[in-house]
Amino acid sequence: MTSPEHSPLGKHTVYADRYDPTLLFPIPRQGKRDEIGVQEPLPFRGVDIWNAYELSWLDMRGKPVAAVAEFHVPAHSPNIIESKSFKLYLNGFAQEPLASAAALSALLQQDLSRAAGAPVLVHIREPRAAMHAFADLEGELIDALPIAIDDYGPPKADYLRADTAGNVVEETLVSDLLRSNCPVTGQPDWGSVQIRYRGAPIDREGLLRYLVSFRTHNEFHEQCVERIFVDVMKHCAPERLSVYARYTRRGGLDINPFRSTDAQSPDNIRGARQ
């Protein structure tokens, strides 16, 4: 059973403190992609970047080791990994004796790749060596636009439009007002989003209204970013497009999906709210 309602979300949980790969709960991406008309071949490339700030295990003398980990799950993988199951799985190493960080990395890569259905990259670093410098998403912030808003969901793609009579532009627009909700528990997910494109100028007021209309929407982080990408492509038809969201962490994990018409991956910056 791989639908969200069968996941550990919203259920009383006994936290394991020994290694257990069966805790990972994969959810197929295709169900939500069907809703937005995404089929193979995918119209985007991308990656889901996860940062784990609560990772610990025991060395062979029983002394705890603390670390920070970074995971890259490719957008072409058939599954996402449900975040609570990911946290439970990582917590399972707390009392697990391991010979080295390299041994842990090999286990993580093996188990996460199996759950995602595609190779997952894993980087483990010492906590003080792993802290990313704080950096805002690059681009022009549109949140100060003096507009009245009374629509908070579901997402309204009709707000999106571009001036097809205008000159082609290359610009990057940013908002810190992205908010959506967990589709199982209803808990809010807060984030910032960057939209980088080349094409006819996108109407900024319409874009901001559209992003705010996610405010009461129930969907996982990865699914929201893919919906934004598909809606902007459909209604604004840019030549190139990248959508990158940086979400605040919950339970020691943050999730940062990136979808793009280009092949490059983004920098794993750390936003001020992260």
Side-chain angles (χ1 to χ4, degrees):
M1 294 183 291
T2 55
S3 57
E5 62 269 21
H6 296 120
S7 77
L9 282 168
K11 300 178 178 67
H12 176 73
T13 303
V14 176
Y15 278 79
D17 58 8
R18 297 303 298 266
Y19 168 62
D20 183 0
T22 67
L23 291 170
L24 291 169
F25 191 90
I27 298 175
R29 296 185 190 267
Q30 195 55 51
K32 278 293 182 177
R33 286 177 173 173
D34 288 342
E35 289 185 13
I36 56 176
V38 170
Q39 302 291 330
E40 297 285 351
L42 297 177
F44 46 69
R45 305 180 185 187
V47 64
D48 303 325
I49 301 174
W50 297 65
N51 295 303
Y53 295 91
E54 299 175 6
L55 180 62
S56 185
W57 65 98
L58 303 181
D59 69 14
M60 301 310 292
R61 295 176 298 179
K63 185 176 70 172
V65 182
V68 174
E70 179 180 324
F71 309 99
H72 289 227
V73 182
H76 66 260
S77 65
N79 304 317
I80 64 173
I81 300 172
E82 189 277 307
S83 61
K84 184 175 180 181
S85 79
F86 203 156
K87 296 165 196 168
L88 293 171
Y89 166 75
L90 292 178
N91 271 287
F93 287 98
Q95 294 298 108
E96 190 70 31
L98 293 165
S100 64
L104 174 58
S105 181
L107 274 179
L108 292 170
Q109 186 162 20
Q110 166 193 287
D111 297 341
L112 295 171
S113 297
R114 183 180 294 121
V120 175
L121 298 180
V122 178
H123 303 284
I124 298 177
R125 302 180 180 90
E126 294 180 3
R128 298 194 180 194
M131 300 303 290
H132 301 286
F134 287 117
D136 291 323
L137 284 168
E138 179 186 283
E140 188 169 351
L141 191 67
I142 62 174
D143 296 347
L145 291 171
I147 59 175
I149 296 180
D150 59 4
D151 185 356
Y152 307 105
K156 300 290 195 308
D158 289 345
Y159 287 130
L160 296 168
R161 55 187 178 274
D163 181 7
T164 55
N167 294 327
V168 169
V169 299
E170 290 190 54
E171 64 179 359
T172 303
L173 305 177
V174 175
S175 175
D176 294 324
L177 300 184
L178 183 61
R179 179 191 186 269
S180 54
N181 301 297
C182 171
V184 177
T185 66
Q187 289 180 303
D189 297 314
W190 305 89
S192 299
V193 61
Q194 176 194 70
I195 296 174
R196 188 189 304 271
Y197 74 97
R198 172 182 169 83
I202 293 176
D203 178 75
R204 297 183 179 192
E205 291 190 2
L207 176 61
L208 186 58
R209 292 181 191 279
Y210 168 71
L211 294 174
V212 171
S213 72
F214 278 81
R215 197 166 180 84
T216 61
H217 182 59
N218 297 327
E219 207 163 44
F220 291 126
H221 305 58
E222 302 94 329
Q223 297 161 352
C224 287
V225 169
E226 292 187 0
R227 186 179 294 275
I228 293 169
F229 181 95
V230 167
D231 285 346
V232 172
M233 284 297 294
K234 179 179 179 181
H235 289 265
C236 301
E239 299 171 17
R240 296 201 306 268
L241 174 65
S242 297
V243 179
Y244 187 21
R246 302 285 308 186
Y247 281 89
T248 59
R249 80 180 77 161
R250 186 188 297 165
L253 280 176
D254 62 47
I255 310 170
N256 309 282
F258 174 78
R259 300 293 182 268
S260 179
T261 54
D262 298 326
Q264 87 283 2
S265 292
D267 292 332
N268 185 20
I269 62 170
R270 186 178 176 194
R273 293 193 292 170
Q274 294 183 299

